[in-house]
């Protein structure tokens, strides 16, 4: 044991020295900063293929370079043997030994890259690839949620697209077909509200709203097509009636846009026949594509330069659509090209050229804007109200395997994290609208917190004693930390806005959970990072260390909790966990 520790110490000392002398094996370390986290250690020793080059800081002076490299610095090859497992080629220069950074990087799971600073090359390395977002000093159940204004849920690869029927993301996590995942939907809504609260109102370009008895400059390619203003008596507003062929073979009635910044389309539409609304976009290399929003229940499809999103079979009623065209374009092309290809082919929106409609119907409030955060927020809140079942839950309709064959949940499971994140969202929707349907849904979402996970609820106990709300209610329990804390934040939000019996129940669930958290938090502390869950305790297997982005989630959560609970445990622990991100470790005996 002692010898191994010394060896590790020696290596660390060698590493530090190698940086000081800015000796760099640049062809190897010029890698992306965020290399992924797969446990890849160097495979065999001896022939790690690296090329060392000496870089003189004063690159302008050739003479100087020559002098230094030929006279002042002399080095020769030396083998390094690491833990008796690897043998690699290093370099020795008098009493110092230099180890290739490419080896060090993999061996110690660190992240480094070369950049320039004041004209000089430098190698910077980090122990973690994640960032901690400090929460605001005040927390309120109607305000920004944690640091979710930095989240871009819909852009994630595991979001198939934003459904034209529901206005919320469809997840491909755990199933390629996609499913409506209440956690993702709540996070989508919470991120949009948090962005709205931090960014403010968007810029809005009105293309047509039928106001002032005046039609904008529409293009009618066929004499038989008609366009006119009409009073909508029930809405007491002027709308635009359009009549064209509904066939995609013919161009519809269009309005030019030439918009280079505002890529969010909003419109109120009512179709009497089959019909559609189409956005034409241009890419940086001047290709044109059409995104059609059609009255069908087919989620998404791509056919050459045409992308189709189904709005559902919603004829005869007013529908409000909010579409982030740039995201819709990207998800449409993702059906055929992977991300690398899309970037290489420059497949992104650089301009919206026009918007057109087909069929017979009415339209109003046709706009392009920078964002439409509130629309997205309400779409998520309304989805939750509409899809909550009589147990107050949002069942997750895919199989989830934490450990295949051991920790599995068949489709239809509930998640305390989903319930909690939904509460946080619904409470915010209630506070903005005062509409009690949102509050009632949040209150109903508590029911599953009282039902044991073996009975289809989300409640478990640690050591038969401490109440814990499970993100994944497996048997035996998994005790996933971040999901538990999200559920506590939901209960906190709810207890703050309810009164009477509802408030009593939310407060009880919250304080039981917080008591558990305070007792159990440090079980997740490894001395150099955190555990994602407690499977090593419940299953007697190897622990599941949290990767850095989950580790930073833990820290962000503790920092948020420290704002609403002044127990120093949260602040102190968060500080120590931040130190772990710099490679610091807790003291040993
Ligand atoms: C309406 O038009 C769209 C687009 O052309 C088409 O996909 C859909 O099948 C049509 N629906 C009906 C009911 O004809
Ligand atoms: C268009 O927006 C105005 C202002 O928000 C609203 O009063 C009107 O009802 C909207 N039109 C439709 C058809 O929903």
């Amino acid at each position: 044991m002692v010898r191994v520790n010394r060896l590790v110490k020696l290596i660390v000392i060698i590493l530090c020295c190698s940086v000081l002398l800015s000796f760099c094996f640049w062809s190897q370390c010029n890698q992306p900063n965020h290399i992924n986290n797969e446990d890849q250690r160097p495979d065999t020793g001896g022939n790690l293929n690296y090329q060392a080059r000496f870089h003189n800081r004063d690159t302008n002076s050739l003479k100087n370079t020559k002098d230094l490299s030929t006279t002042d610095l002399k080095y020769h090859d030396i083998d390094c043997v690491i833990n008796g497992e690897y043998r690699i080629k290093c370099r020795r220069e008098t009493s110092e030994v230099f180890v290739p950074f490419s080896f060090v990087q993999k061996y110690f799971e660190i992240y480094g890259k070369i950049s320039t600073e004041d004209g000089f090359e430098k190698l910077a390395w980090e122990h973690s690839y994640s960032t901690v977002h400090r929460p605001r000093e005040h927390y309120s159940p109607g305000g920004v949620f944690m640091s979710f204004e930095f989240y871009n849920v819909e852009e994630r690869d595991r979001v198939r697209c934003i459904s034209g029927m529901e206005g919320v993301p469809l997840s491909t996590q755990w199933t390629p077909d996609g499913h409506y995942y209440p956690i993702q939907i709540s996070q989508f809504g919470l991120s949009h509200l948090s962005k709205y609260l931090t960014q403010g109102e968007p810029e809005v370009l009105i293309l047509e709203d039928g106001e002032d008895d005046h039609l904008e400059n529409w293009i009618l390619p066929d004499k038989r097509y008609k366009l006119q203003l009409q009073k909508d008596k029930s809405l007491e507003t002027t709308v635009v009636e359009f009549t064209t062929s509904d066939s995609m073979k013919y161009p519809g009635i269009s309005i030019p846009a030439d918009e280079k910044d505002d890529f969010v389309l909003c419109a109120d539409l009512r179709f009497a026949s089959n019909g559609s609304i189409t956005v034409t976009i241009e890419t940086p290399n001047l290709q044109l594509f059409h995104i059609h929003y059609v009255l069908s229940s087919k989620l998404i499809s791509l056919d050459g330069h045409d992308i189709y999103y189904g709005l559902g079979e919603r004829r005869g009623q007013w529908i409000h659509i909010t579409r982030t065209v740039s995201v819709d374009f990207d998800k449409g092309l993702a059906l055929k090209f992977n991300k690398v290809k899309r970037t290489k082919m420059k497949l992104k929106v650089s301009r919206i050229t026009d918007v057109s409609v087909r069929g017979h119907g009415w339209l109003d409030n046709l706009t392009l804007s920078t964002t439409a955060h509130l629309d997205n927020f309400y779409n998520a809140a309304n989805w939750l109200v509409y899809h909550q079942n009589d147990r107050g839950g949002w069942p997750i309709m895919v199989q989830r395997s934490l450990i295949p064959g051991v920790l599995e949940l068949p489709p239809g499971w509930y998640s305390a994290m989903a319930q909690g994140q939904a509460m946080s969202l619904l409470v915010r929707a209630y506070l903005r609208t005062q509409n009690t349907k949102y509050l009632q849904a949040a209150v109903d979402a508590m029911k599953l917190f009282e039902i044991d996970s073996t009975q289809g609820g989300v409640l478990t106990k640690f050591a038969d004693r401490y109440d814990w709300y499970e993100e994944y209610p497996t048997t035996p329990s998994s005790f996933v930390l971040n999901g538990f804390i999200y559920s506590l934040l939901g209960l906190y939000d709810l207890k703050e806005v309810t009164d009477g019996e509802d408030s009593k129940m939310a407060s009880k669930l919250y304080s039981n959970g917080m008591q558990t958290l305070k007792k159990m938090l440090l079980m997740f502390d490894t001395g150099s990072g955190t555990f994602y869950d407690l499977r090593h305790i419940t299953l007697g297997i190897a622990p599941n260390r949290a990767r850095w982005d989950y580790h930073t989630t833990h820290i962000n959560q503790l920092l948020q909790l420290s704002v609403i609970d002044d127990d120093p445990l949260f602040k102190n622990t968060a500080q120590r966990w931040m130190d772990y991100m710099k490679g610091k470790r807790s003291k040993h005996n």
Side-chain angles (χ1 to χ4, degrees), residues 232 235-239 268-269 318 363-365:
D232 185 298
L235 292 172
E236 292 175 9
T237 185
T238 311
V239 300
D268 290 306
L269 290 159
W318 279 105
L363 83 88
D364 197 10
N365 302 326

Side-chain angles (χ1 to χ4, degrees), residues 135 300 528:
I300 179 173
S528 60

